[in-house]
């Protein structure tokens, strides 16, 4: 199903299955490869080091909390990528969160080279490699994810 959400678009989709993480709704737990969660080349490179991984985990936890309290929203991660965060409820309880995005907005404000180098340094990625990966992050039209 997640492949269908992403098919034909630059948007990548993944699902945080809280049934697996918390044991709630265990009978509804999905079977899918966990490594596909935020698995773009850019995101994987950011998460290679302990700092990047911990920042991603904190960002994800904050997104889950916000989705549970406030409903769907378009957010920006600590590295500047956008995604739609959509809570999935079963019987009124949060069972998981759909994340669709890992993109930049076309025509949006650019990121200065020095800022890219600072981000690369923080997550332990070679600045040249990091900049090349950043440039390859798909861009979408403003409003495609519902925000902007």
């Amino acid at each position: 199903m997640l492949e269908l959400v992403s098919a034909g678009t630059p948007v990548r989709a993944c699902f945080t299955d809280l049934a697996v993480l918390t044991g709630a709704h265990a009978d509804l737990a999905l079977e899918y490869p966990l490594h596909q969660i935020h698995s773009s080349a850019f995101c994987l490179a950011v998460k290679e080091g302990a700092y990047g991984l911990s920042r991603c985990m904190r960002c994800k936890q904050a997104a889950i909390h916000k989705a549970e309290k406030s409903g769907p929203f378009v957010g920006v991660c600590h590295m500047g990528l956008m995604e739609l965060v959509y809570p999935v409820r079963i019987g009124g309880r949060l069972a998981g969160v759909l994340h669709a995005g890992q993109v930049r907005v076309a025509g949006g404000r650019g990121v200065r080279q020095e800022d890219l180098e600072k981000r690369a340094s923080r997550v332990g990625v070679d600045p040249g490699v990091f900049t090349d990966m950043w440039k390859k992050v798909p861009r979408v039209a403003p409003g495609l994810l519902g925000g902007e």
Side-chain angles (χ1 to χ4, degrees):
M1 179 182 91
L2 295 178
E3 289 83 10
L4 290 175
V5 172
S6 300
T9 75
V11 173
R12 296 180 61 91
C14 60
F15 186 77
T16 301
D17 187 349
L18 297 177
V20 170
L21 297 176
T22 65
H25 304 296
D27 55 324
L28 300 174
L30 302 175
E31 291 185 23
Y32 63 97
L34 291 175
H35 68 274
Q36 289 184 357
I37 297 176
H38 292 121
S39 63
S40 69
F42 183 82
C43 291
L44 290 176
V46 167
K47 294 187 289 187
E48 280 183 11
Y51 176 81
L53 179 60
S54 70
R55 284 294 311 266
C56 287
M57 296 301 290
R58 286 196 313 253
C59 189
K60 186 174 182 177
Q61 288 301 320
I64 291 169
H65 180 74
K66 182 175 179 177
E68 182 176 23
K69 300 294 180 203
S70 305
F73 70 96
V74 174
V76 179
C77 79
H78 70 103
M79 295 307 290
L81 301 186
M82 292 182 62
E83 70 179 0
L84 169 65
V85 181
Y86 194 92
V88 176
R89 297 184 182 281
I90 297 174
R93 292 178 48 206
L94 187 66
V97 177
L98 175 68
H99 306 265
Q102 299 176 51
V103 295
R104 297 188 296 150
V105 175
R109 199 178 76 223
V111 178
R112 297 179 313 173
Q113 183 63 35
E114 64 189 59
D115 291 334
L116 286 174
E117 290 172 5
K118 285 179 186 175
R119 291 177 185 180
S121 174
R122 282 197 307 257
V123 297
V125 177
D126 175 87
V129 171
F130 187 85
T131 299
D132 287 344
M133 286 189 302
W134 175 257
K135 290 177 181 176
K136 292 176 184 173
V137 170
R139 293 176 156 220
V140 297
L144 178 68
L145 298 177
E148 173 53 350

